[in-house]
Amino acid sequence: MGWFGIVLGAAILLFVKEPPREKVAKSKDSTFVQFKESLTDIWKNPTSRYVTLAGMFNYIGGFAMMYYMPSFFQRVYPMHKAEFASLNALSLSVLGFISALVGGLVSDRFSKKNVLIKSQVCWIGSLIALPVSIITFATTGNFWISISCLALKYLFGESWMSPAMTMI
């Protein structure tokens, strides 16, 4: 799996040019003061505030699921340890990347026609991912259904990241 990241990184270094940077005057404030001002700016804007809170809760749920999921699959499907490790890593990296990319592309493409598209991509993707996440853990008799639903969760559930970052 590591070779994919190395090849992708090399391709980006070779073919993507960094845009010219503007000259920015250095601030005399400490890094902590600048960080505090940035958080204050985020908290003042209601959209930034609620998107940041939603992202925090989404990450908390994701971390809880990532912590619980391997032990669940090991207990329920002990004969499929190698398949779970490979398919989980593959689906998380590939389908999660596709989901984030497509979420950003859809929100960018339709943002001129629909000003709410970024928030809609976030909640619709999460709403689609909810039942397949439940099926992942509720189905204890068939490993392939559980792992397929997990892959669908990654395919739809990660689409919130790109639009959320642009809304903040």
Side-chain angles (χ1 to χ4, degrees):
M1 276 288 141
W3 61 269
F4 178 73
I6 293 170
V7 170
L8 183 63
I12 289 172
L13 283 174
L14 290 173
F15 299 112
V16 177
K17 291 187 178 187
E18 187 171 346
R21 297 175 187 243
E22 295 179 18
K23 299 279 184 187
V24 178
K26 290 213 174 201
S27 175
K28 294 183 181 182
D29 293 333
S30 70
T31 304
F32 178 75
V33 171
Q34 292 174 358
F35 179 70
K36 183 180 168 191
E37 289 173 357
S38 297
L39 287 179
T40 304
D41 289 343
I42 288 173
W43 205 253
K44 284 179 185 176
N45 183 327
T47 301
S48 295
R49 178 176 52 235
Y50 295 130
V51 169
T52 301
L53 287 172
M56 289 168 48
F57 285 119
N58 199 324
Y59 271 116
I60 289 170
F63 290 148
M65 188 171 142
M66 287 297 168
Y67 179 79
Y68 173 70
M69 186 177 40
S71 63
F72 168 80
F73 273 91
Q74 188 171 2
R75 266 184 294 146
V76 176
Y77 307 109
M79 303 300 290
H80 296 282
K81 190 190 309 189
E83 291 96 339
F84 168 74
S86 299
L87 292 172
N88 182 45
L90 187 66
S91 61
L92 177 59
S93 58
V94 173
L95 297 177
F97 174 74
I98 290 170
S99 179
L101 187 66
V102 169
L105 290 172
V106 167
S107 64
D108 286 347
R109 165 126 341 166
F110 297 107
S111 62
K112 287 186 176 33
K113 296 177 186 174
N114 181 358
V115 295
L116 297 176
I117 192 68
K118 292 177 184 173
S119 63
Q120 290 169 343
V121 167
C122 292
W123 69 262
I124 290 172
S126 297
L127 197 62
I128 293 170
L130 179 63
V132 294
S133 297
I134 293 170
I135 294 169
T136 298
F137 296 108
T139 303
T140 58
N142 190 326
F143 170 79
W144 298 106
I145 291 175
S146 290
I147 201 75
S148 298
C149 287
L150 182 63
L152 288 174
K153 184 262 184 220
Y154 293 139
L155 184 61
F156 293 107
E158 305 302 320
S159 63
W160 69 273
M161 282 191 230
S162 299
M165 290 298 154
T166 59
M167 285 191 290
I168 292 175

